[in-house]
Amino acid sequence: MALAVTSSSSSTAASTSFFSRFASSSDPKAPQIGSFKVPERPNGSSGVVNLTQRRSLVRRVNAEPQRRDSIVPLAATIATPEVSEKQDEEDYEQLARDLENASPLEIMDKALEKFGNDIAIAFSGAEDVALIEYAHLTGRPFRVFSLDTGRLNPETYRLFDDVEKRYGIHIEYMFPDAVEVQALVRTKGLFSFYEDGHQECCRVRKVRPLRRALKGLKAWITGQRKDQSPGTRSEIPVVQVDPVFEGMDGGIGSLVKWNPVANVKGNDIWTFLRTMNVPVNALHSQGYVSIGCEPCTRPVLPGQHEREGRWWWEDAKAKECGLHKGNIKQDAAQLNGNGVAHENGTATVADIFDTQNVVSLSRSGIENLAKSEERKEPWVVVLYAPWCQFCQAMEQSYVELADKLAGSGVKVGKFRADGEQKEYAKSELQLGSFPTILLFPKHSSRPIKYPSEKRDVDSLMAFVNALR
């Protein structure tokens, strides 16, 4: 406990000359770690306060009474002055508008000032280490917690250790319930998420531990950005009342969620990390951008969106684990700038791959093509959804492929496989995620699925030429 306090104090002092506004000891709103006054003993005497007494002065992330066996020890927290038990009512929508153009540092400072020891940073072991650097630069005490799912990469665990040493903190780790994990694995195996989706595993290993952690807080800080997933996170505010999880006071509306980097672009985050020489996950240098559990994360190729490296076997609308489902836009959220949402929840979306050399197949058309054992010519067909940003990203190369194959004896088609067509496409056409590209050979009934994530025209042409 004492080590965490001393180390954090010295590290914040190093930045006072550069960020004097935040660390000035004359600023009444910026309490210094290790300098807060310890209440007098009941008998009026003063002196050294032992560890047991100091524990009563510090709250911890996970404070559920019935789960005290999983509460992080006191040494895993940074001691901070208590905030008042009763938080003033505040219009967080208005506060979000007021802070919309504020810097991440200013937003972080506001969050820590307002909630003191009742707020903590959620750290995933990826580029959200920027949050910890911003908190450090404010000169205020701060707390950090992380969800250890038991399936993280070794590089992520090493980053946790590097971060703790750099900032003189102890990350408060939350673990899944052992009984729940045991039941899941014994019933469905270690890799069931490849077969029936990742939501069940994430619910056991991530969402429920997060729920327990947040029950001991009044606010939390996340690294969500609008550009991380345009289909699901494009309207994240910098601060909001959490629409899903509950805080220590209980009930919906009892927890505030801060997103200081909501308006920051990914490349700007990396410029900041390099400038400040912040430790980062070694996986980033291997092509990983968005990093989660080892079985569900892989590198992305140049030009691919960062979320394509997560749960790649599922379509773009499913690429959320449930930690931030309150920020997921529905229906119109999946549309691009050409989509128009209607009041009844339906939507009109501008189609893609719209060219004379790409044949649009109906349900009966794709069924006839799939059933035919003697086709007149081979076909290349993309299974797509026009709202999918990954489909939009490959539109130019697919249209160019169709132009090159025009008159070659190979037909190029498209089949919209979202909505009510999705189940058919999954069961009969090998749809895993959007886009899925199939080649229907001339003398074979079963289509061949394009196995690569490379969607440039040369790679697609090589695939066709190898099998035509």
Side-chain angles (χ1 to χ4, degrees):
M1 178 68 178
L3 289 177
V5 171
T6 303
S7 176
S8 181
S9 298
S10 60
S11 61
T12 54
S15 62
T16 52
S17 59
F18 194 74
F19 295 91
S20 59
R21 169 170 91 80
F22 298 101
S24 172
S25 60
S26 62
D27 186 353
K29 74 173 185 177
Q32 300 300 302
I33 303 174
S35 64
F36 59 91
K37 184 178 180 180
V38 178
E40 293 184 352
R41 296 182 178 182
N43 60 10
S45 63
S46 59
V48 178
V49 180
N50 63 34
L51 180 60
T52 302
Q53 289 173 314
R54 294 188 67 178
R55 284 182 176 174
S56 67
L57 306 177
V58 183
R59 291 187 182 274
R60 290 165 285 187
V61 164
N62 186 12
E64 274 192 294
Q66 66 271 32
R67 304 209 44 110
R68 291 202 180 276
D69 58 321
S70 65
I71 293 176
V72 179
L74 182 65
T77 67
I78 295 179
T80 66
E82 289 283 358
V83 295
S84 61
E85 289 295 326
K86 180 72 174 178
Q87 292 292 334
D88 294 335
E89 295 291 333
E90 180 153 4
D91 184 349
Y92 284 100
E93 291 186 1
Q94 181 59 50
L95 181 59
R97 289 190 289 269
D98 294 342
L99 294 174
E100 181 65 19
N101 297 317
S103 69
L105 187 61
E106 183 179 352
I107 297 169
M108 178 67 73
D109 185 64
K110 183 71 173 178
L112 296 178
E113 174 196 33
K114 185 170 184 61
F115 286 97
N117 195 55
D118 290 329
I119 189 171
I121 297 169
F123 178 42
S124 70
E127 77 277 6
D128 54 355
V129 67
L131 297 174
I132 301 177
E133 179 68 10
Y134 282 124
H136 164 69
L137 293 175
T138 67
R140 297 184 184 278
F142 61 90
R143 299 167 63 188
V144 179
F145 75 94
S146 187
L147 307 177
D148 186 347
T149 65
R151 304 297 291 270
L152 303 179
N153 289 277
E155 292 85 351
T156 301
Y157 290 113
R158 284 193 283 271
L159 176 63
F160 288 155
D161 185 61
D162 291 343
V163 167
E164 288 185 323
K165 290 176 179 176
R166 175 183 173 96
Y167 297 102
I169 63 174
H170 289 277
I171 297 171
E172 304 175 44
Y173 298 101
M174 298 299 299
F175 299 91
D177 185 281
V179 175
E180 290 184 353
V181 173
Q182 178 177 281
L184 174 63
V185 173
R186 286 185 175 182
T187 303
K188 307 186 73 173
L190 287 167
F191 300 98
S192 60
F193 36 81
Y194 291 140
E195 303 297 328
D196 56 13
H198 70 273
Q199 296 295 338
E200 183 178 17
C201 184
C202 285
R203 186 165 55 251
V204 170
R205 295 180 181 271
K206 298 176 72 173
V207 177
R208 288 174 182 165
L210 175 66
R211 193 178 298 278
R212 295 200 309 269
L214 297 179
K215 285 291 289 183
L217 297 170
K218 291 185 177 180
W220 62 311
I221 302 170
T222 86
Q224 286 191 107
R225 304 192 319 270
K226 292 178 180 177
D227 71 336
Q228 281 175 325
S229 187
T232 59
R233 299 187 177 185
S234 61
E235 292 187 358
I236 298 170
V238 297
V239 61
Q240 63 186 134
V241 174
D242 196 302
V244 175
F245 295 104
E246 298 180 9
M248 67 169 64
D249 294 331
I252 298 299
S254 60
L255 186 72
V256 178
K257 185 176 185 179
W258 293 79
N259 309 299
V261 295
N263 296 320
V264 182
K265 301 294 185 183
N267 58 336
D268 292 329
I269 288 287
W270 277 98
T271 297
F272 173 72
L273 294 176
R274 285 190 292 266
T275 300
M276 304 307 294
N277 196 27
V278 174
V280 297
N281 198 315
L283 291 174
H284 290 306
S285 64
Q286 302 173 35
Y288 292 78
V289 181
S290 179
I291 299 173
C293 294
E294 186 277 332
C296 303
T297 306
R298 68 177 181 179
V300 294
L301 297 169
Q304 287 187 303
H305 192 274
E306 63 184 81
R307 297 295 283 187
E308 284 201 72
R310 303 288 296 278
W311 308 294
W312 58 91
W313 62 93
E314 299 181 6
D315 68 59
K317 285 192 290 188
K319 291 182 183 288
E320 295 284 351
C321 61
L323 302 187
H324 304 295
K325 65 180 181 180
N327 292 121
I328 300 176
K329 297 164 61 182
Q330 302 296 330
D331 296 323
Q334 313 303 337
L335 310 181
N336 59 17
N338 297 322
V340 179
H342 299 293
E343 292 182 359
N344 62 3
T346 61
T348 301
V349 190
D351 203 7
I352 55 178
F353 310 121
D354 192 11
T355 175
Q356 61 180 3
N357 291 324
V358 177
V359 179
S360 182
L361 296 170
S362 63
R363 169 69 176 267
S364 59
I366 193 73
E367 286 179 335
N368 290 335
L369 182 62
K371 292 176 182 177
S372 177
E373 295 185 3
E374 290 293 331
R375 305 179 185 91
K376 293 182 179 180
E377 59 272 305
W379 280 74
V380 179
V381 178
V382 60
L383 311 181
Y384 75 102
W387 46 259
C388 171
Q389 66 263 35
F390 310 130
C391 298
Q392 296 166 12
M394 70 162 284
E395 180 178 18
Q396 181 177 350
S397 59
Y398 194 73
V399 169
E400 186 176 347
L401 174 71
D403 293 342
K404 286 188 174 185
L405 291 175
S408 70
V410 178
K411 293 286 189 180
V412 179
K414 64 178 183 177
F415 174 65
R416 181 167 177 173
D418 63 341
E420 59 185 18
Q421 306 298 338
K422 186 175 179 180
E423 287 305 315
Y424 163 74
K426 289 174 67 175
S427 63
E428 301 297 330
L429 299 176
Q430 308 174 58
L431 175 67
S433 62
F434 294 123
T436 291
I437 300 170
L438 303 174
L439 183 120
F440 293 83
K442 187 175 181 179
H443 301 295
S444 175
S445 60
R446 184 167 179 80
I448 300 171
K449 185 176 180 178
Y450 180 58
S452 175
E453 295 291 336
K454 296 181 178 180
R455 297 172 186 143
D456 59 282
V457 65
D458 292 335
S459 297
L460 295 174
M461 183 62 81
F463 170 67
V464 173
N465 288 336
L467 298 172
R468 60 192 294 184

